[in-house]
Amino acid sequence: MAFNVALYGPQGHAWAMTERSASHLKRNSSALTIGSSTMRFDGSELAIAFDEVFLPWPGQRSLPKRMRGEIRLAPDFLGLRAYSLDEAGGHVWQPVAPSGRVNISCDSCPGGGWSGDGYHDMNFGARPLEADFAGWDWARGTTRDGRTVVLYDSLLASGTNHRFGLVYAADGAVCAFQPPAGQPLKRGFWGVGGGIACDDAVEPILRSRFEDTPFYRRSLVETVLAGERVVMMHETLDCRRLAMPLVRLMLPFRMPRKG
């Protein structure tokens, strides 16, 4: 178990994910503590207090070795519906807070913090992801009129392609839609591809790269849906690469373990 904290900014990127044993875990109906970091929901606001040792990018010697701060997310509404991601229902995804206001205070952030649009979701399942998925693409963004759009495009290990889109109105009303065909994005340094739904005769634009690993990418992408340009946080997970023995051997370098 671990708290994963990733910060991206003009000074560079900072990333922390230390795996810990069950002795570092405390939880109840409203709070979860792993090591020195805590997540708590009081019914109206999600508060995350983190204190982690981070892995800096090369050349980032000016940043502190620990990431300490707090994230507070006030949801505009709660997404109460969960969605099955596979045919057997063994993997479930729930957009808990499709949109909200987030405030971050952190000693690693320029000016001490940041505020803006926020989102929270969760996945859970009974089997390892790589046992049932070849991979997926996910994206989330906000339209000009304030609607939240979420895209999911997964490829199951069986070869079945499961694609859907959700649009949330400001009052939380949700409508499913069939996204346009996915268009490929330029591959990352490690060769991970991925794509995003985009209208015909238009190409998505890769604005920023945040994570680029042998099996996972996180990026900021501009796409066009039903004629409207939408900037979306985007991720690609390649489960086939995740299952490779060589990649497994590399994981402890980014995910140190503490007993």
Side-chain angles (χ1 to χ4, degrees):
M1 65 198 74
F3 255 84
N4 179 207
V5 184
L7 300 176
Y8 312 107
Q11 289 182 302
H13 300 170
W15 195 93
M17 190 171 182
T18 301
E19 286 193 311
R20 302 179 187 275
S21 67
S23 63
H24 294 267
L25 171 68
K26 297 179 182 178
R27 63 178 181 175
N28 56 39
S29 60
S30 61
L32 170 70
T33 298
I34 301 175
S36 300
S37 299
T38 300
M39 178 182 296
R40 184 181 301 276
F41 185 64
D42 64 6
S44 62
E45 186 177 66
L46 176 66
I48 303 170
F50 56 91
D51 182 357
E52 300 287 335
V53 176
F54 83 87
L55 299 176
W57 263 243
Q60 295 177 317
R61 302 183 185 278
S62 61
L63 294 178
K65 293 182 178 180
R66 298 196 71 88
M67 299 167 66
R68 295 187 181 95
E70 184 179 52
I71 302 171
R72 304 189 76 89
L73 171 63
D76 294 328
F77 52 86
L78 295 178
L80 301 179
R81 181 177 173 183
Y83 298 84
S84 176
L85 297 178
D86 66 318
E87 297 158 332
H91 300 270
V92 179
W93 164 70
Q94 183 175 351
V96 179
S99 70
R101 190 67 182 173
V102 64
N103 288 279
I104 300 173
S105 58
C106 178
D107 52 14
S108 299
C109 295
W114 174 88
S115 63
D117 187 35
Y119 169 86
H120 169 53
D121 69 1
M122 66 178 179
N123 291 68
F124 54 92
R127 286 159 52 89
L129 292 175
E130 61 270 25
D132 296 315
F133 291 92
W136 69 51
D137 288 284
W138 166 94
R140 183 264 181 194
T142 305
T143 63
R144 288 190 299 270
D145 62 2
R147 291 171 296 148
T148 297
V149 181
V150 186
L151 303 173
Y152 230 114
D153 186 346
S154 62
L155 180 62
L156 298 176
S158 64
T160 301
N161 185 207
H162 184 39
R163 304 176 66 248
F164 63 96
L166 303 173
V167 177
Y168 290 88
D171 62 358
V174 59
C175 178
F177 74 99
Q178 185 62 34
Q183 295 196 29
L185 297 168
K186 184 178 179 180
R187 291 184 177 274
F189 175 82
W190 295 94
V192 176
I196 190 170
C198 189
D199 287 355
D200 291 341
V202 185
E203 291 187 1
I205 300 171
L206 184 62
R207 283 194 171 188
S208 300
R209 293 183 177 92
F210 298 132
E211 301 286 350
D212 187 355
T213 79
F215 65 91
Y216 178 82
R217 293 177 63 193
R218 182 181 296 153
S219 312
L220 192 67
V221 177
E222 180 181 318
T223 189
V224 179
L225 301 171
E228 181 173 355
R229 291 194 171 272
V230 185
V231 177
M232 310 189 78
M233 186 66 73
H234 174 271
E235 74 172 11
T236 297
L237 174 66
D238 189 327
C239 293
R240 291 166 294 193
R241 284 172 170 254
L242 176 60
M244 291 179 176
L246 179 59
V247 172
R248 294 287 191 181
L249 289 173
M250 297 169 66
L251 289 177
F253 292 96
R254 291 292 305 275
M255 300 167 58
R257 294 176 177 173
K258 182 172 290 189

